[in-house]
Amino acid sequence: MQIAIVLYPDVTALDAVGPYEILRFLPEAEVRFVGAVTGPLLTDSGVLTLGVTHTFARTPRPDLVLVPGSGPGTAAAMADRELTGWLARVHDTTTWTTSVCSGALILAAAGLLGGRPATTHWIAQDTLGRLGAQPRRDERIVRSGRIVTAAGVAAGLDLALWLSGEIAGRDHAEAIQLWTEYDPQPPFDAGHPAKARPEILDRAKGLAPVSPTRAGRSSPGRPGSA
């Protein structure tokens, strides 16, 4: 199974690496980090880099596509016709086309979410609706046929584990869960707007990252900020 995880400038690292650490244990998995050109890309922290291993051109028929989100980079990725064109083409033959966080906005920009139920980071739900999808604000994973979207950042781990069960069966998925010791026990319970106090929600809105390389060109609250 060829798994293509999309990378682009200012991508959120955990959106991509979290699912990778689970999906790489699928039987006969061939994981590719795909992008316009091979080589390192700076993530939205402005510090950490991830590496593109294969170009879009050299990945014409992946079995599974995963599009991670970003804070400052989502709008540019949505406007990148090479990226959205590739997504539209490969979706014709994928088994699964998926996204994490504001990656759903990129799927929408590629014309893949029109009229479909979908989810994304809580701060980008309104934007998702304006792009023609049907936001599911309270759902962590939303399936619509071959398209599966996940909520913000950490939800990518749940998405990858769910996909593992669908692809390789529950026993294999549980073995992956055990090997990665994915046993969430967060010390706090404020992981969704419905659970957070108003002052925490306001504070969280101020955390939307702006990459130092994009300062002055991107800001929290733009389409796709997450």
Side-chain angles (χ1 to χ4, degrees):
M1 164 170 273
Q2 189 178 97
I3 300 165
I5 300 174
V6 176
L7 296 183
Y8 53 87
D10 292 325
V11 69
T12 296
L14 186 59
D15 286 10
V17 175
Y20 159 75
E21 289 292 352
I22 291 175
L23 295 174
R24 70 190 182 97
F25 289 109
L26 286 174
E28 300 181 4
E30 179 209 340
V31 181
R32 298 183 172 199
F33 288 94
V34 300
V37 295
T38 58
L41 284 176
L42 199 62
T43 64
D44 62 2
S45 69
V47 178
L48 180 66
T49 60
L50 296 177
V52 174
T53 62
H54 294 77
T55 63
F56 295 130
R58 294 183 64 85
T59 312
R61 293 179 66 90
D63 300 294
L64 189 157
V65 170
L66 185 140
V67 183
S70 170
T74 305
M78 291 168 65
D80 183 341
R81 293 188 178 182
E82 183 177 10
L83 168 53
T84 57
W86 178 82
L87 286 172
R89 289 193 301 275
V90 300
H91 178 63
D92 287 341
T93 54
T94 58
T95 302
W96 300 101
T97 300
T98 72
S99 67
V100 179
C101 198
S102 61
L105 305 185
I106 302 171
L107 291 185
L112 302 182
L113 294 185
R116 290 180 178 269
T119 193
T120 185
H121 191 283
W122 55 266
I123 207 169
Q125 294 283 351
D126 288 344
T127 302
L128 184 63
R130 289 194 294 270
L131 292 170
Q134 299 175 6
R136 296 292 187 265
R137 299 174 185 273
D138 296 325
E139 296 182 41
R140 195 160 172 85
I141 299 173
V142 176
R143 178 181 182 179
S144 178
R146 296 183 290 118
I147 298 177
V148 190
T149 53
V153 194
L157 293 166
D158 291 352
L159 169 67
L161 197 59
W162 182 88
L163 286 167
S164 297
E166 293 295 305
I167 294 166
R170 177 168 180 165
D171 286 355
H172 192 77
E174 289 187 357
I176 295 173
Q177 182 178 17
L178 179 57
W179 178 252
T180 57
E181 203 166 346
Y182 181 41
D183 184 25
Q185 299 176 37
F188 310 107
D189 189 23
H192 186 275
K195 299 179 177 180
R197 289 172 283 138
E199 61 269 27
I200 300 303
L201 184 61
D202 290 341
R203 182 182 287 257
K205 290 177 180 177
L207 296 178
V210 178
S211 168
T213 64
R214 303 273 170 158
R217 289 184 285 170
S218 302
S219 61
R222 289 189 60 178
S225 294

